[in-house]
Amino acid sequence: MKKNFLRSIALVAMMLCGINANAQFDLGALAGAISGNDSGQSLATALTSIFSGEKQASASNIEGTWTYSEPAILFDSEDYLTKAGGKVVAQKLEKKIQAVFNKYGVTKGAVKFVFNSDGTFVETIKTKTIKGKWSVENNTLKLTFGTIKPKTVEITTQLEGKQMMMVTDATKLLTLVQGMTSSSNSSNLKTISALLKNVKGMKVGVTLTKQ
Protein backbone atom coordinates (compact mmCIF):
# COMPACT_ATOMS: atom_id res chain seq x y z
CA MET A 1 0.00 0.00 0.00
CA LYS A 2 2.89 2.34 0.74
CA LYS A 3 4.22 1.85 -2.80
CA ASN A 4 0.79 2.61 -4.24
CA PHE A 5 0.57 5.79 -2.15
CA LEU A 6 4.01 6.96 -3.25
CA ARG A 7 3.10 6.32 -6.88
CA SER A 8 -0.06 8.36 -6.35
CA ILE A 9 1.96 11.27 -4.94
CA ALA A 10 4.31 11.21 -7.93
CA LEU A 11 1.40 11.15 -10.37
CA VAL A 12 -0.35 14.01 -8.62
CA ALA A 13 2.83 16.11 -8.69
CA MET A 14 3.16 15.60 -12.45
CA MET A 15 -0.50 16.43 -13.00
CA LEU A 16 -0.36 19.60 -10.95
CA CYS A 17 2.68 20.84 -12.83
CA GLY A 18 0.81 20.41 -16.09
CA ILE A 19 -2.31 22.45 -15.30
CA ASN A 20 -3.02 26.12 -14.74
CA ALA A 21 -3.11 27.02 -11.05
CA ASN A 22 -6.54 28.62 -11.47
CA ALA A 23 -8.06 25.81 -13.54
CA GLN A 24 -10.60 23.34 -12.24
CA PHE A 25 -8.96 19.97 -11.53
CA ASP A 26 -11.31 17.43 -13.13
CA LEU A 27 -12.73 14.82 -10.77
CA GLY A 28 -11.96 12.12 -13.30
CA ALA A 29 -8.29 13.05 -13.16
CA LEU A 30 -8.45 13.07 -9.37
CA ALA A 31 -9.92 9.57 -9.37
CA GLY A 32 -6.99 8.35 -11.44
CA ALA A 33 -4.48 10.09 -9.20
CA ILE A 34 -5.72 8.43 -6.03
CA SER A 35 -6.55 5.02 -7.47
CA GLY A 36 -4.63 1.99 -6.31
CA ASN A 37 -4.96 -1.63 -5.41
CA ASP A 38 -6.23 -0.89 -1.92
CA SER A 39 -7.82 -3.87 -0.25
CA GLY A 40 -10.47 -3.96 2.43
CA GLN A 41 -13.86 -2.36 2.77
CA SER A 42 -14.24 1.31 1.83
CA LEU A 43 -14.47 3.82 4.66
CA ALA A 44 -16.91 5.97 2.69
CA THR A 45 -20.38 6.32 4.19
CA ALA A 46 -23.57 8.18 3.52
CA LEU A 47 -21.90 11.19 5.16
CA THR A 48 -20.27 11.88 1.81
CA SER A 49 -23.05 14.31 1.00
CA ILE A 50 -24.24 17.50 -0.65
CA PHE A 51 -24.18 20.87 1.09
CA SER A 52 -27.47 22.10 2.53
CA GLY A 53 -27.87 25.47 4.20
CA GLU A 54 -30.63 23.98 6.33
CA LYS A 55 -28.20 21.48 7.89
CA GLN A 56 -25.63 23.99 9.13
CA ALA A 57 -25.04 23.75 12.87
CA SER A 58 -26.02 26.53 15.27
CA ALA A 59 -24.15 27.28 18.49
CA SER A 60 -26.73 25.33 20.51
CA ASN A 61 -26.27 22.33 18.20
CA ILE A 62 -22.51 22.38 18.68
CA GLU A 63 -22.39 22.65 22.48
CA GLY A 64 -21.50 19.34 24.10
CA THR A 65 -19.05 16.47 23.73
CA TRP A 66 -18.06 15.03 20.35
CA THR A 67 -15.62 12.33 19.24
CA TYR A 68 -13.90 11.81 15.90
CA SER A 69 -15.29 9.03 13.73
CA GLU A 70 -14.00 9.40 10.14
CA PRO A 71 -13.01 11.83 7.37
CA ALA A 72 -15.79 13.93 5.82
CA ILE A 73 -16.28 15.02 2.22
CA LEU A 74 -18.92 17.57 1.26
CA PHE A 75 -19.89 18.47 -2.31
CA ASP A 76 -21.27 21.93 -3.07
CA SER A 77 -24.00 20.60 -5.34
CA GLU A 78 -25.49 17.49 -6.94
CA ASP A 79 -23.66 18.37 -10.15
CA TYR A 80 -20.26 17.99 -8.51
CA LEU A 81 -21.26 14.75 -6.81
CA THR A 82 -22.38 13.07 -10.05
CA LYS A 83 -19.70 14.50 -12.35
CA ALA A 84 -17.01 11.98 -13.28
CA GLY A 85 -18.15 9.56 -10.57
CA GLY A 86 -17.78 11.93 -7.64
CA LYS A 87 -18.98 9.32 -5.16
CA VAL A 88 -16.24 6.90 -6.25
CA VAL A 89 -13.65 9.67 -6.00
CA ALA A 90 -14.86 10.47 -2.48
CA GLN A 91 -14.59 6.83 -1.39
CA LYS A 92 -10.97 6.58 -2.53
CA LEU A 93 -10.07 9.99 -1.15
CA GLU A 94 -11.50 9.22 2.30
CA LYS A 95 -9.22 6.20 2.57
CA LYS A 96 -6.16 8.26 1.59
CA ILE A 97 -7.06 11.02 4.05
CA GLN A 98 -7.58 8.55 6.91
CA ALA A 99 -4.19 7.00 6.16
CA VAL A 100 -2.62 10.44 6.65
CA PHE A 101 -4.74 11.17 9.75
CA ASN A 102 -3.48 7.93 11.29
CA LYS A 103 0.03 9.36 11.32
CA TYR A 104 -1.20 12.19 13.56
CA GLY A 105 -3.20 9.99 15.92
CA VAL A 106 -6.54 11.10 14.47
CA THR A 107 -8.39 7.78 14.61
CA LYS A 108 -11.91 6.77 15.52
CA GLY A 109 -12.62 7.51 19.18
CA ALA A 110 -9.11 8.87 19.84
CA VAL A 111 -10.02 12.57 19.49
CA LYS A 112 -12.61 14.27 21.70
CA PHE A 113 -13.98 17.82 21.62
CA VAL A 114 -15.92 19.44 24.45
CA PHE A 115 -17.57 22.66 23.27
CA ASN A 116 -18.57 24.78 26.26
CA SER A 117 -21.38 27.35 26.33
CA ASP A 118 -18.91 30.14 27.22
CA GLY A 119 -17.23 29.93 23.81
CA THR A 120 -14.27 27.81 24.89
CA PHE A 121 -13.47 24.24 23.95
CA VAL A 122 -11.14 21.50 25.14
CA GLU A 123 -9.82 18.89 22.75
CA THR A 124 -8.06 15.74 23.82
CA ILE A 125 -6.10 13.58 21.40
CA LYS A 126 -4.66 10.54 23.13
CA THR A 127 -2.80 12.07 26.13
CA LYS A 128 -2.56 15.60 24.70
CA THR A 129 -4.93 18.42 25.67
CA ILE A 130 -5.55 21.44 23.44
CA LYS A 131 -7.64 24.42 24.53
CA GLY A 132 -9.20 27.04 22.35
CA LYS A 133 -12.17 29.26 21.53
CA TRP A 134 -15.11 28.79 19.22
CA SER A 135 -17.98 30.84 17.82
CA VAL A 136 -20.61 30.67 15.11
CA GLU A 137 -20.79 33.75 12.87
CA ASN A 138 -22.99 33.92 9.77
CA ASN A 139 -23.45 30.14 9.90
CA THR A 140 -19.67 29.63 9.89
CA LEU A 141 -17.92 27.87 12.76
CA LYS A 142 -14.70 29.60 13.80
CA LEU A 143 -12.20 27.54 15.79
CA THR A 144 -9.11 29.06 17.39
CA PHE A 145 -6.64 26.44 18.60
CA GLY A 146 -4.12 27.30 21.34
CA THR A 147 -3.28 30.55 23.08
CA ILE A 148 0.46 31.18 22.60
CA LYS A 149 0.50 30.81 18.80
CA PRO A 150 -3.21 30.49 18.02
CA LYS A 151 -4.42 29.01 14.74
CA THR A 152 -7.87 30.09 13.55
CA VAL A 153 -9.82 28.31 10.84
CA GLU A 154 -13.30 28.93 9.42
CA ILE A 155 -15.34 25.78 9.02
CA THR A 156 -18.49 24.73 7.20
CA THR A 157 -20.70 22.43 9.26
CA GLN A 158 -23.37 19.90 8.32
CA LEU A 159 -25.52 17.94 10.75
CA GLU A 160 -26.68 14.39 10.02
CA GLY A 161 -28.47 13.08 13.10
CA LYS A 162 -25.88 12.77 15.87
CA GLN A 163 -23.00 13.34 13.48
CA MET A 164 -21.50 16.65 12.43
CA MET A 165 -19.21 17.24 9.48
CA MET A 166 -16.60 19.98 9.93
CA VAL A 167 -15.14 20.70 6.50
CA THR A 168 -13.08 23.33 4.75
CA ASP A 169 -11.30 23.83 1.45
CA ALA A 170 -7.81 22.49 0.79
CA THR A 171 -6.07 25.76 1.64
CA LYS A 172 -7.43 25.57 5.21
CA LEU A 173 -7.30 21.81 5.77
CA LEU A 174 -3.66 22.06 6.78
CA THR A 175 -4.48 24.66 9.46
CA LEU A 176 -7.41 22.61 10.75
CA VAL A 177 -5.44 19.39 11.25
CA GLN A 178 -2.35 21.18 12.59
CA GLY A 179 -4.59 22.86 15.14
CA MET A 180 -6.32 19.61 16.05
CA THR A 181 -3.06 17.73 16.51
CA SER A 182 -0.80 20.58 17.70
CA SER A 183 1.73 19.31 15.19
CA SER A 184 4.15 21.27 13.02
CA ASN A 185 5.05 18.21 10.91
CA SER A 186 2.96 18.91 7.82
CA SER A 187 4.63 17.01 4.97
CA ASN A 188 1.86 14.40 4.70
CA LEU A 189 -0.87 17.03 4.94
CA LYS A 190 0.78 19.14 2.25
CA THR A 191 0.46 16.17 -0.09
CA ILE A 192 -3.30 16.02 0.50
CA SER A 193 -3.62 19.81 0.17
CA ALA A 194 -1.71 19.75 -3.13
CA LEU A 195 -4.01 17.01 -4.35
CA LEU A 196 -7.13 19.03 -3.57
CA LYS A 197 -6.19 22.67 -4.10
CA ASN A 198 -7.44 22.82 -7.68
CA VAL A 199 -10.58 20.76 -7.09
CA LYS A 200 -13.67 22.95 -7.09
CA GLY A 201 -16.99 22.07 -5.53
CA MET A 202 -15.68 19.84 -2.75
CA LYS A 203 -14.69 20.43 0.87
CA VAL A 204 -12.87 18.02 3.17
CA GLY A 205 -12.54 17.63 6.91
CA VAL A 206 -13.66 15.46 9.81
CA THR A 207 -16.85 13.82 11.03
CA LEU A 208 -17.63 14.01 14.74
CA THR A 209 -20.24 12.01 16.66
CA LYS A 210 -22.07 13.56 19.59
CA GLN A 211 -21.85 11.70 22.88
Side-chain angles (χ1 to χ4, degrees), residues 101-207:
F101 282 0
N102 289 344
K103 299 177 185 297
Y104 295 87
V106 181
T107 58
K108 186 173 182 178
V111 182
K112 181 174 73 173
F113 280 91
V114 178
F115 292 99
N116 300 310
S117 59
D118 63 358
T120 62
F121 72 82
V122 177
E123 178 203 356
T124 55
I125 175 168
K126 293 187 176 180
T127 59
K128 186 184 301 182
T129 299
I130 302 169
K131 296 182 179 180
K133 297 181 179 180
W134 70 280
S135 64
V136 177
E137 301 176 19
N138 298 320
N139 293 320
T140 298
L141 172 62
K142 290 187 177 181
L143 294 182
T144 300
F145 294 90
T147 55
I148 299 176
K149 293 183 178 180
K151 295 179 181 292
T152 300
V153 58
E154 295 186 354
I155 295 171
T156 297
T157 59
Q158 291 281 274
L159 289 173
E160 297 279 357
K162 289 187 176 182
Q163 293 182 304
M164 176 172 65
M165 303 172 73
M166 299 198 313
V167 296
T168 185
D169 59 40
T171 61
K172 299 174 184 175
L173 179 62
L174 186 62
T175 303
L176 172 61
V177 180
Q178 282 182 330
M180 286 178 57
T181 61
S182 187
S183 173
S184 59
N185 181 7
S186 59
S187 58
N188 293 303
L189 288 170
K190 285 180 179 178
T191 299
I192 295 294
S193 295
L195 183 67
L196 296 174
K197 70 177 181 180
N198 290 305
V199 178
K200 295 182 180 180
M202 184 171 68
K203 292 181 174 64
V204 181
V206 299
T207 299

Side-chain angles (χ1 to χ4, degrees), residues 12 14-26 197-198:
V12 169
M14 288 187 290
M15 292 173 68
L16 292 178
C17 289
I19 61 176
N20 185 287
N22 295 318
Q24 179 174 331
F25 190 21
D26 184 76
K197 70 177 181 180
N198 290 305

Side-chain angles (χ1 to χ4, degrees), residues 26-38:
D26 184 76
L27 283 176
L30 177 60
I34 60 179
S35 64
N37 298 320
D38 296 320

Side-chain angles (χ1 to χ4, degrees), residues 30-50:
L30 177 60
I34 60 179
S35 64
N37 298 320
D38 296 320
S39 59
Q41 187 174 7
S42 173
L43 294 176
T45 70
L47 289 177
T48 300
S49 62
I50 302 166

Side-chain angles (χ1 to χ4, degrees), residues 49-86:
S49 62
I50 302 166
F51 174 78
S52 171
E54 297 179 354
K55 293 183 178 181
Q56 290 178 284
S58 65
S60 59
N61 295 140
I62 295 172
E63 287 179 21
T65 301
W66 302 78
T67 59
Y68 173 80
S69 57
E70 62 188 345
I73 295 177
L74 185 70
F75 287 87
D76 288 347
S77 70
E78 181 74 29
D79 290 341
Y80 285 111
L81 178 61
T82 57
K83 182 178 180 182

